[in-house]
């Protein structure tokens, strides 16, 4: 049984003219205990909205979950009461965000912020125990001189150190699932490598599952067991990480991989760019949402929404023509 | 070897900064510290490094947007520090810049035609009619429809806005283009479009380019030669091919190892630990010794120099010869 099962999740946004528009449309995936699902896609494809709707952290009232079911550890959390969700948040499912500077409270010390989490979920433990645990966490995430860092404010730390503090907060209650929303995008590659290694190590140690959201294909390919590729609010391709990258079936996944410089392309040669743009939300095409940019587009793509097809590697592909265009 | 169009000699750029609100003491940030290189005619020189290493400051110093503290920038044989205001205007005409953020670098209250026309007006080029023709020509070159000219920047996507930024930069037919993280804010699919456009334009106009980026795979794709910067200094410079296949400086090796590669497992050990030190108090000796896996006593005391040696691939490391053998 999977740890988290997301079934036909849709998120709608109320626009200025009063119309509800579906930014995330019938997204389904499963995360198994201890495994990592990588959710990749370009900006605006709905990957963060998908993640935030799991914990009901959508910006209300504009955005709301309009359809779908979420089952976490056998419990249907999509219909759970707010008080129950508050218990789950931080304790069973924790989140780390892209920008640790805006996600941390600038007027509280590192110690106060970590202890706040412990206070909410373990109110019976003594202050001293909380402090000891905070120290232990900072040590675990590899912050040098953790005793001194407890008393500092976020602005006194570097970007990489701030992200480590965020991770320490997220791990405070040893969650079953960690949602990491672009956790290394704001960091330099050397620091990114350190943080990725840290997350991997902690995952192995605590056996936690991860939903890793990023736009970086190479990064997600190194981290994930399964990958879901999102485009314009829908999942285009979803399957085991090694198959999705070595044998991509959806034309969008293929183009994304081809557009990356430097893998096999000789320097200064033209890249296989994906022409055009993502369609605007107010005029989503009636058929396949990728149709206007697809190299393999046919008549059917403009009129009918592609069904989710499953290939031999157990990869789900949402394309009318994937069998014909296989590489 | 083709001749150099831009020559940088011992360039230093120091900023003085208050140490705090309760003190009058000032600290000196050594953003660029003794940097020398040359940009050859028609080539692309890639400039890579982590955030805060001084790569953007260096780009701005070349345009005299920051006045260098010491050192020289020589353009076609002339030191730009001695230029009169008028000559400086001509110099800036031949050196243009493309910025990272296409949202902030375009005036949101101007139409696209006004944005593209402005440099032509400032440099008193042509009459209204010929400028209009030039705007249409520029839009065509960067792949935007002619209807774009009457629109405002907010009506465009990030990639299209970057196209406008490129059109503005080439409006004056420059010799040198400085691209400061020109594709960093863009998605992969759009990034490829813009990189292709830059390559086309470079070929068409025979431009020399300084391509500043933190993304090593993008830099590798675009550059003929690459300079690696660390804490205000160039630590290695050479042919792109040589840098990527035989990196000499441990910092370059670590940077390359840190890039995630599609479908391969992450590197088991990180070659570079810790954070980048503050440029206000750079470490003694070799500035990289605090993070270097191979640091020895000598590195803590003696600063290595970037000697231009016989093969044109110098590395500022005392021990690079031993490291490459090992």
């Amino acid at each position: 049984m999977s740890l988290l099962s997301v079934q036909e999740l849709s998120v709608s946004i109320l626009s200025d003219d009063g119309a509800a528009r579906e930014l995330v449309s019938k997204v389904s995936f499963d995360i198994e205990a201890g495994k990592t699902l990588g959710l990749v896609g370009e900006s605006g494809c709905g990957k963060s909205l998908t993640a935030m709707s799991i914990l009901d952290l959508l910006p209300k009232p504009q955005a709301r979950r309009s359809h779908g079911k979420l089952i976490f550890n056998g419990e249907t959390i999509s219909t759970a009461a707010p008080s129950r969700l508050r218990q789950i948040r931080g304790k069973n499912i924790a989140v780390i965000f892209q920008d640790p500077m805006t996600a941390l409270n600038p007027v509280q010390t590192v110690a106060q912020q970590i202890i706040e989490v412990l206070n909410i979920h373990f109110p019976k433990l003594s202050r001293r125990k909380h402090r000891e645990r905070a120290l232990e966490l900072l040590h675990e995430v590899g912050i040098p001189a953790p005793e001194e860092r407890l008393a500092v404010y976020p602005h006194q730390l570097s970007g990489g150190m701030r992200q480590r503090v965020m991770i320490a907060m997220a791990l405070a209650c040893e969650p079953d699932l960690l949602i990491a929303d672009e956790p290394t995008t704001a960091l330099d590659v050397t620091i990114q490598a350190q943080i990725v290694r840290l997350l991997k190590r902690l995952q192995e140690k605590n056996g936690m599952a991860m939903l890793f959201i990023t736009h970086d294909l190479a990064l997600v390919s190194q981290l994930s067991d399964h990958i879901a590729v999102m485009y314009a609010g829908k999942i285009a391709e979803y399957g085991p990480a090694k198959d999705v990258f070595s044998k991509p079936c959806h034309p969008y996944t293929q183009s994304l991989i081809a557009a990356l410089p430097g893998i096999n392309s000789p320097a200064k040669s033209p890249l296989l760019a994906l022409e055009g743009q993502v369609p605007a939300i107010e005029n989503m095409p009636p058929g396949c949402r990728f149709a206007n940019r697809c190299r393999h587009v046919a008549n059917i793509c403009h009129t009918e929404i592609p069904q989710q097809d499953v290939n031999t590697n157990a990869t789900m592909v949402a394309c009318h023509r994937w069998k014909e265009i296989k590489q | 070897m083709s001749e150099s169009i831009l020559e940088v000699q011992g360039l230093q750029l120091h900023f003085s900064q208050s140490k705090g609100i309760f003190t009058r003491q000032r600290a000196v940030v050594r953003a660029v510290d003794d940097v020398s290189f040359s940009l050859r005619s028609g080539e692309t020189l890639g400039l890579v490094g982590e955030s805060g290493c001084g790569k953007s400051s260096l780009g701005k110093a070349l345009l005299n947007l920051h006045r260098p503290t010491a050192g020289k920038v020589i353009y076609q044989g002339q030191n730009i520090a001695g230029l009169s205001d008028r000559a400086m205007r001509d110099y800036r005409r031949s050196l243009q810049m493309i910025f990272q953020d296409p949202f902030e670098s375009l005036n949101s209250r101007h139409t696209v035609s006004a944005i593209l026309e402005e440099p032509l007006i400032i440099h008193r080029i042509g009459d209204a009619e010929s400028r209009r023709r030039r705007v249409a020509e520029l839009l065509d070159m960067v792949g935007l429809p002619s209807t774009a000219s009457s629109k405002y920047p907010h009506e465009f996507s990030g990639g299209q806005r970057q196209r406008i930024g490129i059109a503005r930069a080439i409006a004056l037919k420059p010799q040198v283009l400085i691209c400061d993280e020109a594709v960093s804010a863009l998605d992969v699919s759009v990034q490829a479009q813009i990189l292709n456009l830059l390559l086309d334009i470079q070929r068409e106009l025979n431009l020399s380019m300084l391509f500043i980026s933190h993304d090593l795979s993008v830099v590798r794709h675009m550059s003929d030669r690459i300079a690696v910067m660390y804490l205000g200094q160039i630590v290695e410079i050479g042919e792109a091919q040589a840098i990527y296949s035989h990196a000499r400086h441990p910092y370059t090796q670590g940077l390359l190892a840190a890039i995630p590669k599609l479908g391969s497992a992450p590197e088991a050990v990180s070659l570079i630990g810790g954070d980048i030190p503050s440029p206000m108090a750079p470490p003694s000796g070799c500035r990289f010794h605090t993070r270097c896996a191979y640091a020895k006593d000598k590195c803590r005391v003696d600063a290595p120099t970037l000697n231009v040696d016989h093969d044109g691939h110098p590395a500022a490391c005392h021990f690079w010869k031993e490291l490459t053998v090992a």
Side-chain angles (χ1 to χ4, degrees):
Chain A
M1 193 190 69
S2 56
L3 177 70
L4 174 76
S5 175
V6 175
Q7 298 167 5
E8 302 210 320
L9 173 78
S10 297
V11 178
S12 293
I13 290 247
L14 216 55
S15 52
D16 293 338
D17 56 13
R21 295 197 167 110
E22 233 174 48
L23 267 86
V24 175
S25 175
K26 297 206 173 152
V27 162
S28 305
F29 54 81
D30 290 274
I31 303 175
E32 278 165 52
K35 299 282 186 203
T36 302
L37 173 72
L39 191 58
V40 262
E42 298 181 279
S43 38
C45 74
K47 50 193 193 303
S48 288
L49 278 178
T50 304
M52 292 309 117
S53 74
I54 294 170
L55 282 175
D56 204 23
L57 291 174
L58 294 170
K60 284 176 188 168
Q62 293 86 1
R64 61 184 190 89
R65 197 166 53 219
S66 48
H67 188 267
K69 203 170 167 187
L70 301 164
I71 300 166
F72 178 71
N73 252 341
E75 182 184 352
T76 308
I77 57 168
S78 43
T79 51
S83 58
R84 173 71 189 125
L85 277 174
R86 273 199 296 278
Q87 290 173 345
I88 293 171
R89 264 184 228 133
K91 189 168 184 192
N92 304 104
I93 305 179
V95 195
I96 50 177
F97 298 96
Q98 172 174 353
D99 185 350
M101 195 59 220
T102 50
L104 291 172
N105 187 335
V107 296
Q108 284 194 341
T109 61
V110 167
Q112 284 172 319
Q113 302 191 48
I114 298 179
I115 289 171
E116 187 186 4
V117 186
L118 296 166
N119 236 333
I120 291 168
H121 295 292
F122 302 103
K124 289 195 182 127
L125 286 179
S126 69
R127 276 183 64 85
R128 232 188 79 204
K129 277 262 172 343
H130 283 163
R131 216 182 150 74
E132 278 169 16
R133 173 79 179 134
L135 192 62
E136 187 187 314
L137 284 163
L138 288 190
H139 186 74
E140 193 150 283
V141 296
I143 291 184
E147 295 86 357
E148 291 156 40
R149 305 288 185 199
L150 276 177
V152 306
Y153 291 89
H155 77 268
Q156 294 170 286
L157 297 169
S158 69
M161 286 299 147
R162 277 181 218 141
Q163 200 54 284
R164 284 172 199 265
V165 170
M166 283 278 295
I167 295 171
M169 284 170 66
L171 296 179
C173 305
E174 300 192 339
D176 304 311
L177 173 66
L178 178 67
I179 299 177
D181 188 1
E182 302 262 11
T184 60
T185 307
L187 307 175
D188 280 310
V189 282
T190 55
I191 309 296
Q192 166 172 290
Q194 294 172 13
I195 296 289
V196 164
R197 202 165 306 117
L198 170 69
L199 284 172
K200 272 295 220 202
R201 182 169 62 76
L202 294 170
Q203 181 177 30
E204 273 160 32
K205 185 166 164 269
N206 301 350
M208 92 191 151
M210 247 198 308
L211 175 61
F212 197 94
I213 301 165
T214 180
H215 67 280
D216 188 333
L217 289 155
L219 181 65
V220 86
S221 78
Q222 293 192 335
L223 268 170
S224 314
D225 301 292
H226 282 78
I227 298 226
V229 181
M230 271 187 95
Y231 183 79
K234 277 181 174 292
I235 290 186
E237 187 162 358
Y238 167 46
K242 59 178 185 352
D243 296 321
V244 170
F245 284 111
S246 61
K247 287 164 264 174
C249 290
H250 197 285
Y252 178 60
T253 321
Q254 292 170 356
S255 327
L256 270 188
I257 293 172
L260 282 178
I263 299 162
N264 292 317
S265 58
K268 294 205 155 191
S269 62
L271 293 163
L272 291 166
L274 194 51
E275 297 304 328
Q277 293 163 51
V278 185
I281 186 68
E282 51 273 9
N283 47 34
M284 271 298 165
C288 174
R289 294 185 172 186
F290 186 58
N292 67 328
R293 304 175 80 185
C294 184
R295 283 178 231 279
H296 307 284
V297 67
N299 283 336
I300 185 175
C301 306
H302 290 297
T303 50
E304 274 179 57
I305 297 172
Q307 291 306 303
Q308 305 194 334
D309 218 349
V310 178
N311 74 8
T312 46
N313 298 320
T315 301
M316 188 287 288
V317 193
C319 173
H320 290 296
R321 305 192 58 210
W322 73 269
K323 278 178 195 153
E324 303 160 50
I325 60 174
K326 239 169 47 180
Q327 287 176 327
Chain B
M1 195 187 291
S2 55
E3 63 184 297
S4 67
I5 184 164
L6 195 68
E7 196 61 59
V8 176
Q9 294 174 355
L11 190 73
Q12 294 192 2
L13 188 61
H14 295 180
F15 300 104
S16 145
Q17 185 182 325
S18 169
K19 273 194 167 165
I21 29 177
F22 300 116
T23 171
R24 283 197 174 176
Q25 280 182 6
R26 320 254 327 151
V28 174
V29 180
R30 297 159 175 271
V32 178
D33 213 9
D34 197 10
V35 162
S36 305
F37 66 88
S38 65
L39 180 66
R40 296 172 193 159
S41 179
E43 81 163 350
T44 302
L45 178 67
L47 189 60
V48 287
E50 291 174 277
S51 43
C53 74
K55 51 193 193 303
S56 288
S57 301
L58 175 59
K60 286 184 180 156
L62 296 184
L63 278 169
N64 217 26
L65 295 175
H66 293 313
R67 206 167 280 276
T69 314
K72 286 187 213 163
V73 178
I74 297 164
Y75 176 70
Q76 290 185 336
Q78 226 180 350
N79 186 350
I80 64 156
L83 294 181
S84 63
D85 284 359
R86 182 183 208 138
M88 181 56 80
R89 205 159 49 213
D90 284 343
Y91 170 68
R92 285 198 173 128
R93 182 174 162 183
S94 42
L95 234 82
Q96 289 285 320
M97 192 153 182
I98 298 168
F99 298 91
Q100 170 171 6
D101 192 337
F103 296 81
E104 284 178 9
S105 56
L106 300 175
N107 189 331
S108 55
R109 287 161 174 268
H110 283 181
T111 60
V112 170
S113 72
I115 290 169
L116 297 183
E117 223 183 323
E118 195 175 16
L120 301 171
I121 294 171
I122 290 171
H123 289 274
R124 305 207 179 93
I125 295 168
D127 52 15
E129 177 52 37
S130 70
R131 284 199 295 261
R132 226 184 343 268
R133 273 203 309 275
R134 178 76 179 137
V135 167
E137 196 180 297
L138 287 167
L139 287 174
D140 186 51
M141 278 178 84
V142 298
L144 286 173
S146 55
T147 50
S149 67
S150 56
K151 291 187 180 166
Y152 289 88
H154 74 264
E155 297 178 69
F156 296 92
S157 68
Q160 287 173 320
R161 261 183 267 211
Q162 204 56 298
R163 286 176 195 269
I164 300 169
I166 293 171
R168 178 178 60 183
I170 59 173
L172 295 168
K173 301 181 177 155
Q175 304 287 310
V176 180
L177 204 55
I178 299 173
C179 303
D180 188 4
E181 302 275 10
V183 296
S184 307
L186 306 175
D187 276 315
V188 181
S189 66
V190 181
Q191 172 181 297
Q193 293 173 15
I194 299 297
L195 292 178
N196 286 346
L197 175 65
L198 284 171
L199 287 171
D200 287 346
I201 282 176
Q202 176 176 34
R203 212 167 298 131
E204 216 165 303
L205 305 179
N206 193 26
L207 286 171
S208 314
M209 266 208 288
L210 182 68
F211 195 88
I212 303 170
S213 177
H214 69 280
D215 187 330
L216 289 110
S217 39
V218 170
V219 167
R220 170 199 176 138
H221 187 77
M222 296 297 285
S223 312
D224 301 298
R225 286 192 308 144
I226 289 174
V228 183
M229 258 185 111
Y230 186 73
L231 272 184
Q233 297 181 326
I234 291 181
V235 297
E236 183 167 0
I237 185 166
E239 300 292 325
Q241 187 61 34
I243 296 263
Y244 278 86
S245 51
H246 309 287
R248 288 178 173 173
H249 199 283
Y251 178 63
T252 315
Q253 294 170 0
L255 262 188
L256 291 172
I259 318 173
K261 284 147 208 93
L262 201 65
S264 70
E267 299 285 320
V269 266
S270 167
L271 286 171
I272 303 179
D275 277 324
I276 191 166
S278 161
M280 270 186 253
S284 63
C286 172
R287 293 187 175 186
F288 183 58
H289 85 253
T290 52
R291 302 172 79 191
C292 182
Y294 313 107
K296 296 183 180 141
D297 287 342
K298 187 180 182 189
C299 307
R300 293 179 190 100
V301 192
D302 280 350
T305 49
L306 190 73
N307 289 321
V308 180
D309 58 355
H310 57 285
D311 63 354
H313 179 183
C317 173
H318 294 302
F319 299 107
W320 74 260
K321 278 180 186 144
E322 296 155 46
L323 296 178
T324 7
V325 176

